[in-house]
Amino acid sequence: MELSSPLKIKRIVAGGWGLTHMGAKVTFVRGVLPDEMVTVTPVESHRAYQFATVDHLHEVSPDRIAPPCPLYGQCGGCQFQHVRYETQLRYKQVMLEEAFSRIAHIGVECFLPPVPSPFPYQYRQWVRFSVFQDHKTFHLGFRQERSHKAVKCTDCLLVPDSIRAVSEELNVRLAAMTRMPSYVSSIEVRVSGAFGSCMLLVKSPQLNQGQARSLLEIFRGIQSVTGCIVAAALPPYRRKHAPVRLVEGEDHLFEQFHAATFRVSDRSFMQANWAIYSMIYQTLEEWFGECDGTKTLELYGGIGCLGLSLAQKGALVTVVEENPYAIADARKSASQNRIRRCRFRSTTAEKFLENVQSNEYEVVLLDPPRAGLSKSCIDSLMRIRAGRIFYLSCDAASLARDVSRLGAAGYRVHRAQLFDMFPQTSHIETLSELILN
C-alpha cells in the first residue's frame, strides 16, 4: 500500500482539531499542532470533509510537550495535553476571535487577554464516570472520543486527590461485584473545595426501590462522602411517574463563593472549576461598576452565585431559573447569607420575558446552556432594551451567533474576555459586555 505524502497542519479550529487538506477534502486531525508535517490515515469520511489519525510526525512544533496522562488519546476528555499551557490559551483565543469574525463579523479590538486557570490540572470539582462490565466484573471509566468504547480510568489528572481517592475506592468495590442489583449507567463524584465533603450520584435507567436500596448498600461508608443519591435516569418522555430516588446522608454540598456560602443539591448544576468561576465574577463586578439599586435580571441563574453576589453589593436582582431544585438552592443560599435585594422565579427565560416591560431592567445577565439563546429570547431582549447585557457563554459559536442577532437591535460588544474554565480541553468560556447604542 502506497503511503500518503506528508501534509502540513494549517491551524487549530473549533473542537481542538488540526485542519489540513487531503486532496479536495478538508481533513480534521486530532493531536497535532500548526505547521507540523504529518502523514495521516482517514478514519471517518463525509462528502466534503473527513477525520483522520496521525501515522507519523515528520516535523514537530516547539509547542509540543509529552502529555502526562497515559490514557491521553484514548480517553475523549482532553484535546490539548500535548500542548504547552501558554499555547493552549493562544489557540483558544484564536478560535474565539475566528468565531466572532466568521459568524458575527466582529473584529478583535473588543477582546481582552485570556485569563488562565490557577490550576491547569486538578481543577475539576466533579467528574462523571461511566460504569463498564469486563470479564464478569465492573469498573469505572470514560468513553473514547466519537465512540462508545470503554477506557478504564479512576485517576483522571483533571480532578483533585479527594475525588481520586473516592473513585479508587468505588472501583475496588465494583471490581468485587460479579452481579449488580441494577444496571448502573454512571456515577458522578462531587467535592466541595471549601469544606472537603464529597457526594455520590448513582444513576440507573431502570430502577425500583429494592434495587436502589441494594445499590446504596454497595456504596455506603466511603471516607469523606457525606451523601449518596441513587436515582433513576429516565428521559423526559418516560417520566409518567415520579422517578425512584433514594438518599443516604446529605443530598447537597456547600461551596464558598466570595462573601457567601452556596448550597448545591444533587439535582442542580455544579460548576466544574470554582477557582476560575470566582475570577469570572470578579471581572463581572468590575465591569458592572456601581451596583447600588441597579435593576438587574439574571436569566439561566442556576443556584444564583453571580446574581446573589451582585445583590450583596446592592443590586436589585431577579433570578430566573427553569430548574426548580436550583432555584430552591438559590432561595436557601440567599436566606442563609441574609441577602435581601433579590427575588426568584422558577420558569423558563422565554416565559418570564413575555411579561417584562420595555426598560424595566437596566442590566441583563445571561448564562445560557451551550446551545445559546432561543429566537424567542433574543426577540424579547430586543424588545425590553436593557442598557447593558452581560453574556457568559461556554460555546464560542453560539455566542457569536447571538451577538450578531442582538447587534441588529443596536447592541455592540464593548469588551469580551476568555476564561480558561477547562484547561487541557478545547472548551471556551467567555464573558462579554454588550452595550445598547
Side-chain angles (χ1 to χ4, degrees), residues 105-387:
H105 308 292
I106 294 175
V108 301
E109 60 274 2
C110 64
F111 290 102
L112 299 174
V115 177
S117 173
F119 310 104
Y121 288 94
Q122 296 193 348
Y123 61 84
R124 288 196 66 100
Q125 289 186 222
W126 66 267
V127 62
R128 185 180 298 120
F129 293 100
S130 295
V131 178
F132 304 102
Q133 187 173 13
D134 182 32
H135 296 98
K136 297 183 179 181
T137 188
F138 298 86
H139 60 88
L140 297 177
F142 304 108
R143 298 189 184 278
Q144 292 183 16
E145 186 174 42
R146 306 177 67 82
S147 168
H148 293 291
K149 293 181 180 179
V151 178
K152 295 182 182 179
C153 179
T154 57
D155 58 349
C156 173
L157 300 183
L158 302 190
V159 302
D161 291 340
S162 53
I163 288 184
R164 294 170 73 179
V166 171
S167 61
E168 287 169 4
E169 176 61 24
L170 286 171
N171 215 45
V172 168
R173 296 188 182 199
L174 289 171
M177 306 292 297
T178 57
R179 185 177 180 182
M180 296 288 283
S182 173
Y183 170 70
V184 175
S185 55
S186 67
I187 300 178
E188 185 175 314
V189 186
R190 297 182 175 187
V191 65
S192 165
F195 303 103
S197 51
C198 292
M199 181 167 63
L200 300 181
L201 284 65
V202 182
K203 294 294 181 69
S204 173
Q206 294 182 339
L207 192 67
N208 60 40
Q209 292 284 342
Q211 292 168 329
R213 284 192 290 269
S214 297
L215 286 171
L216 279 176
E217 183 66 32
I218 294 172
F219 303 119
R220 178 175 290 135
I222 298 177
Q223 188 173 2
S224 79
V225 173
T226 57
C228 180
I229 299 90
V230 177
L234 295 176
Y237 62 85
R238 292 187 56 193
R239 294 175 184 170
K240 295 180 180 179
H241 307 287
V244 173
R245 176 175 175 269
L246 290 186
V247 179
E248 183 166 282
E250 302 290 345
D251 66 351
H252 59 274
L253 297 174
F254 288 103
E255 188 55 87
Q256 193 72 29
F257 190 78
H258 288 273
T261 300
F262 284 84
R263 173 189 166 102
V264 192
S265 63
D266 65 296
R267 289 177 284 193
S268 296
F269 173 74
M270 181 175 182
Q271 292 290 339
N273 188 337
W274 280 77
I276 202 75
Y277 194 47
S278 176
M279 297 171 76
I280 289 171
Y281 173 72
Q282 288 176 339
T283 299
L284 172 64
E285 184 183 312
E286 177 188 331
W287 292 2
F288 198 98
E290 179 59 45
C291 288
D292 195 38
T294 303
K295 292 178 288 185
T296 304
L297 173 61
E298 182 182 25
L299 301 175
Y300 312 96
I303 63 170
C305 290
L306 300 179
L308 295 186
S309 296
L310 290 173
Q312 276 190 313
K313 295 292 183 179
L316 301 175
V317 180
T318 300
V319 181
V320 179
E321 169 55 48
E322 181 180 8
N323 181 343
Y325 306 106
I327 206 74
D329 285 340
R331 289 180 186 272
K332 290 176 181 177
S333 296
S335 176
Q336 290 167 354
N337 292 281
R338 299 182 179 180
I339 302 173
R340 306 300 182 198
R341 294 189 164 197
C342 54
R343 60 179 182 171
F344 306 91
R345 298 292 183 265
S346 180
T347 184
T348 65
E350 290 81 2
K351 189 168 292 186
F352 181 84
L353 287 170
E354 288 176 0
N355 299 313
V356 175
Q357 301 301 310
S358 178
N359 299 315
E360 185 175 341
Y361 292 97
E362 300 166 78
V363 174
V364 175
L365 172 60
L366 306 167
D367 186 6
R370 189 172 300 279
L373 303 175
S374 67
K375 183 179 183 301
S376 171
C377 192
I378 292 281
D379 291 342
S380 293
L381 290 171
M382 290 177 174
R383 176 180 55 80
I384 67 175
R385 296 179 65 80

Side-chain angles (χ1 to χ4, degrees), residues 20-92:
T20 186
H21 289 84
M22 194 172 188
K25 282 192 174 183
V26 174
T27 302
F28 299 104
V29 188
R30 178 65 78 208
V32 293
L33 299 177
D35 297 326
E36 290 187 330
M37 298 295 295
V38 299
T39 48
V40 302
T41 297
V43 292
E44 181 183 326
S45 184
H46 301 267
R47 187 173 63 85
Y49 67 94
Q50 63 188 354
F51 295 92
T53 58
V54 174
D55 291 327
H56 184 69
L57 278 169
H58 297 274
E59 294 182 18
V60 177
S61 167
D63 290 317
R64 176 178 289 275
I65 60 173
C69 177
L71 297 177
Y72 183 63
Q74 300 178 47
C75 164
C78 294
Q79 296 81 43
F80 280 154
Q81 280 195 25
H82 66 293
V83 186
R84 297 182 188 278
Y85 186 55
E86 298 77 9
T87 308
Q88 292 183 33
L89 294 174
R90 190 169 76 244
Y91 290 163
K92 291 184 181 184

